[in-house]
Amino acid sequence: YMRRTAESIIVREVCDKQEGADYALTEYSLIASNGRYSVVRATPVTGRTHQLRVHFSHIGCPIVGDNMYGSESAFICRHALHSHLLTFTHPSTHEQISVRSPLPEDMVSLIESVFDEDMADTIKKELSLS
């Protein structure tokens, strides 16, 4: 469950089931880790505001560059979160629509900066970036 914090209308937090809290479920799998940084494939099953950012911060793994739920980064000027695939049902035709977006160059650069060359190459292959 997630809710707004008492101090802010923007910042969210993980909480127990209670009034004002919304159920929030994130599924994820680890692609690679070097002990300090990890690359994951995450799916927000529910669609809560800041859901991925809140969940990863809550488990002690804030998203790189997320200055709201973690800290700024010398490697990237924003939070390193990217949606490479969005699938939805068209509201009129009911056709299944899928839109893909390649990983932005700043995130490729981040991977190359924080992982050794072999691991970065493996990650890029896993993410179909090579």
Side-chain angles (χ1 to χ4, degrees):
Y1 287 85
M2 287 176 48
R3 66 175 179 202
R4 289 181 174 153
T5 63
E7 302 81 31
S8 175
I9 63 169
I10 297 172
V11 179
R12 299 330 198 243
E13 66 186 353
V14 170
C15 63
D16 294 327
K17 182 179 180 180
Q18 56 191 269
E19 188 174 332
D22 294 309
Y23 179 70
L25 177 63
T26 297
E27 295 176 348
Y28 69 95
S29 59
L30 180 67
I31 293 174
S33 180
N34 65 8
R36 176 148 169 81
Y37 295 95
S38 298
V39 175
V40 299
R41 180 171 285 119
T43 303
V45 177
T46 53
R48 306 294 173 211
T49 301
H50 298 184
Q51 179 175 323
L52 297 176
R53 297 166 68 192
V54 171
H55 279 165
F56 284 108
S57 179
H58 180 74
I59 64 171
C61 301
I63 295 170
V64 172
D66 186 349
N67 62 355
M68 185 176 292
Y69 298 102
S71 61
E72 292 182 1
S73 170
F75 300 110
I76 193 166
C77 297
R78 63 184 180 93
H79 53 271
L81 183 61
H82 176 70
S83 177
H84 81 280
L85 174 65
L86 175 65
T87 301
F88 61 95
T89 303
H90 189 283
S92 299
T93 66
H94 305 290
E95 177 187 3
Q96 192 80 351
I97 307 289
S98 291
V99 180
R100 295 181 186 274
S101 176
L103 201 61
E105 190 56 43
D106 62 347
M107 291 183 65
V108 173
S109 178
L110 169 64
I111 289 168
E112 292 171 345
S113 295
V114 302
F115 292 99
D116 66 41
E117 187 176 349
D118 289 340
M119 188 173 282
D121 288 345
T122 299
I123 293 166
K124 290 187 288 185
K125 284 179 186 161
E126 175 68 26
L127 299 175
S128 301
L129 298 173
S130 296

